[in-house]
């Protein structure tokens, strides 16, 4: 009589089938060990070699996300009725500590792989063709909010300044000391804006006056506020949170 | 300067503002007034110079393109706001990291800029 279930022993299986079971067990155990290692906490992850390995994994992740990024796929847009009121303030400092940039003396500084790196005043920037969008801002902290931003398409601005559009990165330096960078494909995405307005009003200081980068295809921390300078480069520029271990590409 | 004239104890020899020598009665009250007047003029001159200097510095400050202010200065030693921070992170860490990054990137960015053909595109 043929034995079933618990009655079966490995000896009843042919050798190739046993090898296959052993391989599966080995893979399962390896995955469990890997997961356990990640879950075992800070002592392990504080180790420099582990940090290096995790950074390498994150950079690999960036590469995969960049490969998967479709420059023509648009982020969802919403009706005005969907706008979140009030739009949340979020920064590494309190609302009372928001930097107020002097509009009259403001000049956007440019550097790197740019043919015409002359600084731009606000009236010059406002004179560029403007557009607006109602999109969702998604924060890595786990919340999201819908808002209306207006400004010039970043691709238009990059073309106007003679940026090397084949370069890899665009970096930003902000009045609140924050810094970040994005990949060129995202910079040229049709919904990536150099935003000067929020809800059809000049961008208030708490939302990043005189301008913020609005990138609806990326997480909130990839949308720098109070931009004072930008540069185009082939050298990986990182960013404040990115250098602390947050994923650099951070698509939303 | 003024000095008493010989033989005329109540008169003093003095010079007018355009340098001509003159003689006038020595009236203590009058002299005090002149001294006060001179002190006043000197003080006014100093005030005018100070205003002019302040205006110049103000103009220089206005020429600085990146002036920022906040309702409250950032408390750099305070823990960061928000949920992204890790244990022990302070607000001042961002500034330090930005300065370090600036030092690291500056030379390379300048070299990249020099490698670009320059020309107005606006």
């Amino acid at each position: 009589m043929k034995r079933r279930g618990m009655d079966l022993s490995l000896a009843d299986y042919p050798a190739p089938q046993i090898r296959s079971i052993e391989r599966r067990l080995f893979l399962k155990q390896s995955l469990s060990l890997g997961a356990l290692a990640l879950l075992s906490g800070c002592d392990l992850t504080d180790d420099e070699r582990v940090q290096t390995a995790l950074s390498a994994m994150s950079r690999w992740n960036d590469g995969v996300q960049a490969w998967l990024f479709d420059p023509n796929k648009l982020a969802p847009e919403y009706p005005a009725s969907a706008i979140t009121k009030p739009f949340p303030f979020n920064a590494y400092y309190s609302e009372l500590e928001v930097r107020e940039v002097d509009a009259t003396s403001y000049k956007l500084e440019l550097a790197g792989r740019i043919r015409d790196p002359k600084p731009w005043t606000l009236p010059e920037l406002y004179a560029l063709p403007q557009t607006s969008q109602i999109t969702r801002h998604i924060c890595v902290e786990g919340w999201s909010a819908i808002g209306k931003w207006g400004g010039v398409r970043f691709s238009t601005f990059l073309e106007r300044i003679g940026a090397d559009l084949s370069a890899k990165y665009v970096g930003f330096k902000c009045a609140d000391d924050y810094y970040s960078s994005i990949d060129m494909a995202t910079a040229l995405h049709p919904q990536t804006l150099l935003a000067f307005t929020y809800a059809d009003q000049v961008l208030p200081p708490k939302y990043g006056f005189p301008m913020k980068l609005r990138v609806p295809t990326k997480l909130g921390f990839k949308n720098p506020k109070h931009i004072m300078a930008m540069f185009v480069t082939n050298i990986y520029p990182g960013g404040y949170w990115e250098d602390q271990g947050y994923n650099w590409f951070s698509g939303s | 300067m003024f000095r008493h004239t010989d033989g005329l104890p109540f008169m003093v020899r003095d010079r007018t503002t355009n340098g001509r020598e003159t003689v006038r009665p020595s009236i203590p009250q009058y002299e005090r007034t002149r001294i006060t007047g001179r002190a006043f003029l000197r003080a006014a001159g100093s005030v005018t110079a100070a205003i002019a200097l302040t205006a110049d510095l103000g103009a220089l400050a206005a020429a600085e393109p990146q002036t920022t202010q906040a309702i409250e200065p950032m408390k750099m030693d305070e823990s960061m706001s928000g949920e992204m921070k890790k244990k022990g992170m302070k607000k001042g860490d961002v500034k330090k990291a930005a300065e370090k990054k600036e030092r690291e990137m500056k030379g390379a960015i300048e070299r990249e800029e020099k490698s670009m053909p320059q020309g107005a595109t606006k």
Side-chain angles (χ1 to χ4, degrees), chain A residues 92 96-97 99-100 102 105 109 111-112 115-117 120 141 160 173 233-235 237 240 243-244 246, chain B residues 65-70 72 75 80-81 83-84 86 91 98 101-102 108 112-113 117-119 121-122:
Chain A
Y92 71 90
L96 287 173
E97 295 169 308
R99 303 288 170 92
E100 290 193 18
D102 176 25
S105 61
E109 303 287 339
R115 255 194 19 229
D116 187 11
W120 282 62
E141 293 173 355
R160 198 65 72 91
K173 297 177 195 172
T233 181
N234 277 327
I235 301 151
Y240 180 70
D243 294 348
Q244 309 306 316
Y246 284 89
Chain B
Q66 300 185 353
T67 50
T68 63
Q69 58 180 36
E72 275 184 10
K75 296 171 191 82
M80 284 184 191
S81 309
E83 302 299 318
M84 290 183 78
K86 292 177 185 174
K91 292 173 191 170
K101 180 71 74 173
E102 172 79 18
E112 283 192 305
E113 194 168 318
Q118 302 293 302
T121 56
K122 268 190 210 177

Side-chain angles (χ1 to χ4, degrees), chain A residues 81-250:
Chain A
S81 60
I83 291 173
T84 308
K85 289 174 186 170
F87 192 86
F89 166 79
N90 196 38
Y92 71 90
Y93 45 85
S94 77
E95 209 170 319
L96 287 173
E97 295 169 308
V98 168
R99 303 288 170 92
E100 290 193 18
V101 178
D102 176 25
T104 52
S105 61
Y106 177 83
K107 279 182 181 172
L108 174 66
E109 303 287 339
L110 303 174
R113 306 188 67 83
I114 294 171
R115 255 194 19 229
D116 187 11
K118 279 187 296 198
W120 282 62
T121 63
L122 280 178
E124 286 172 327
L125 290 162
Y126 292 161
L128 292 168
Q130 308 283 306
T131 181
S132 67
Q133 60 174 248
I134 300 175
T135 48
R136 186 184 290 275
H137 171 108
I138 301 170
C139 182
V140 70
E141 293 173 355
W143 56 268
S144 73
I146 295 171
K148 183 178 185 184
W149 289 272
V152 61
R153 276 187 181 171
F154 195 42
S155 58
T156 305
F157 181 68
L158 289 174
E159 282 162 14
R160 198 65 72 91
I161 60 177
D164 175 5
L165 304 182
S166 68
K168 289 182 184 169
Y169 312 102
V170 185
F172 303 89
K173 297 177 195 172
C174 307
D176 57 3
D177 303 318
Y178 186 68
Y179 57 98
S180 189
S181 61
I182 59 168
D183 53 296
M184 184 58 83
T186 301
L188 298 175
H189 187 275
Q191 284 174 310
T192 302
L193 290 190
L194 205 48
F196 310 121
T197 67
Y198 180 77
D200 299 319
Q201 305 293 316
V202 172
L203 204 62
K206 67 175 177 175
Y207 296 150
F209 181 85
M211 77 186 71
K212 73 171 277 167
L213 190 74
R214 177 65 195 131
V215 196
T217 55
K218 283 197 186 292
L219 293 176
F221 74 91
K222 302 294 293 185
N223 291 238
K225 300 185 280 190
H226 313 288
I227 297 171
M228 304 300 277
M230 65 174 71
F231 56 94
V232 176
T233 181
N234 277 327
I235 301 151
Y236 174 70
Y240 180 70
W241 289 119
E242 296 88 330
D243 294 348
Q244 309 306 316
Y246 284 89
N247 178 247
W248 177 77
F249 196 90
S250 284

Side-chain angles (χ1 to χ4, degrees), chain A residues 59-75:
Chain A
R59 290 316 311 270
W60 181 81
N61 190 327
D62 287 338
V64 173
Q65 287 188 74
W67 182 70
L68 291 172
F69 180 71
D70 181 350
N72 300 309
K73 189 180 174 190
L74 300 180

Side-chain angles (χ1 to χ4, degrees), chain B residues 2 7 12-13 16 23 27-28 48 51 54 59-60 62-63 67 76-77 82 85 87 91 93 95 98 104 107 109 113:
Chain B
F2 57 90
V12 290
R13 203 178 292 276
T16 63
V23 175
I27 304 165
T48 310
I51 289 170
T54 310
L60 278 174
T67 50
M76 297 297 197
D77 290 332
K85 64 178 181 290
K87 200 178 169 186
K91 292 173 191 170
D93 294 351
K95 188 178 173 65
E104 286 169 1
I109 298 292
E113 194 168 318

